[in-house]
Amino acid sequence: MNENITDPIVIEAIDVHKTYNTGTVQVHALKGVDLRARKGEMVAIMGPSGCGKTTLLNCLSGLDEIDAGTVTIAGTDISKMADDRKTDFRARQMGFIFQTYNLLPVLSAAENVELPLIVSGVRPREARQRAMAALETVGLGDRGNQRPNQLSGGQRQRVTVARALVNRPSIIWADEPTGALDSATAKEIMDLIVDLNEQEHQTTILVTHDPKVAARCHRTIHMADGLIVREDDQATMQATAASAGVL
């Protein structure tokens, strides 16, 4: 599962800064981060709580504005996009997987999955067909009419994966995708994410605390205090996880 260094760079962040103003104190969450990821590459981001992992993910994906620096996705500087164009760009080019699923409880699994397509202007009939095909891909073809509260945690996360993949995006962003799952279900979800990455050759950026999850990625970026402090390749992470007794 080695990335091809001849593949084009899809994500490039240069000297990215982000500060949050809580009203009483300013938190400098990112302090000049540089990052590149190539097409088809799976990159894990690790570090202690509060180090800037999720902030980096949100800034790279355009969910958060940056204060300084540039973020370029597939050659497009998203930090200069207007909000409406950025929303459309995300809907067409990106998929998101969150620890808390972010599924709308009043909608069925199929309705949740088709939302990115509807936002992108796909006609309802085609959107439903593609949503059902995506659910079939993640093993939930028979659960399209069920609402989130009728599904297990692992099934809800599979719906989230299907929603992330339904528009065939070039980039998948995943924030602790296995954090709310038991170890067996977490392995099933990572098996699914890795298999789909290999089949679709999407770029996947994944925040995790779990060394087992990081060891499934091509490389791991370690953060501390708003900075990238180290990078490890897959072999190093697998050895680290094995020595810790988690592989």
Side-chain angles (χ1 to χ4, degrees):
M1 205 170 79
N2 294 319
E3 73 277 14
N4 187 342
I5 61 172
T6 65
D7 283 334
I9 293 171
V10 175
I11 302 166
E12 184 173 36
I14 300 175
D15 196 26
V16 171
H17 291 257
K18 177 65 179 180
T19 299
Y20 293 106
N21 191 337
T22 66
T24 57
V25 65
Q26 286 192 336
V27 178
H28 202 172
L30 299 178
K31 302 174 182 178
V33 172
D34 296 327
L35 180 148
R36 287 181 171 182
R38 295 183 180 275
K39 179 175 173 58
E41 190 178 12
M42 288 190 68
V43 180
I45 303 174
M46 295 191 75
S49 295
C51 72
K53 300 185 301 296
T54 294
T55 297
L56 178 57
L57 190 81
N58 290 343
C59 287
L60 292 175
S61 63
L63 291 176
D64 275 356
E65 300 286 343
I66 63 174
D67 297 327
T70 60
V71 175
T72 304
I73 304 293
T76 300
D77 185 351
I78 66 168
S79 56
K80 295 180 180 178
M81 280 186 180
D83 286 345
D84 56 346
R85 187 179 169 215
K86 193 182 298 184
T87 298
D88 183 67
F89 186 82
R90 281 198 301 267
R92 295 177 184 276
Q93 300 291 333
M94 304 175 184
F96 293 84
I97 305 171
F98 299 102
Q99 176 180 351
T100 53
Y101 315 127
N102 282 21
L103 300 175
L104 296 178
V106 298
L107 300 183
S108 68
E111 289 168 336
N112 270 285
V113 172
E114 70 188 9
L115 276 177
L117 299 175
I118 299 298
V119 170
S120 299
V122 176
R123 295 190 179 193
R125 174 175 285 187
E126 181 185 348
R128 179 55 55 91
Q129 290 173 343
R130 288 168 62 178
M132 292 307 298
L135 286 170
E136 188 70 38
T137 298
V138 301
L140 292 178
D142 60 342
R143 301 300 179 97
N145 291 326
Q146 293 187 313
R147 292 186 179 183
N149 66 359
Q150 297 174 298
L151 301 171
S152 69
Q155 288 170 333
R156 288 196 290 272
Q157 194 60 298
R158 284 176 180 269
V159 173
T160 304
V161 173
R163 182 181 61 191
L165 294 166
V166 72
N167 59 353
R168 301 182 69 84
S170 59
I171 300 169
I172 298 292
W173 309 99
D175 192 359
E176 296 284 2
T178 64
L181 306 174
D182 62 73
S183 58
T185 306
K187 182 180 182 303
E188 290 178 4
I189 294 298
M190 276 309 298
D191 287 345
L192 178 62
I193 291 173
V194 170
D195 288 347
L196 291 169
N197 170 263
E198 291 176 346
Q199 293 167 22
E200 303 293 335
H201 205 54
Q202 292 149 330
T203 304
T204 303
I205 309 295
L206 188 152
V207 166
T208 184
H209 283 93
D210 190 341
K212 297 190 298 295
V213 170
R216 305 290 299 275
C217 297
H218 297 124
R219 63 187 169 103
T220 299
I221 291 169
H222 299 268
M223 294 189 67
D225 298 324
L227 292 167
I228 293 174
V229 295
R230 191 175 86 249
E231 291 190 19
D232 290 327
D233 61 18
Q234 187 180 40
T236 299
M237 286 306 299
Q238 288 177 344
T240 300
S243 66
V246 296
L247 277 186

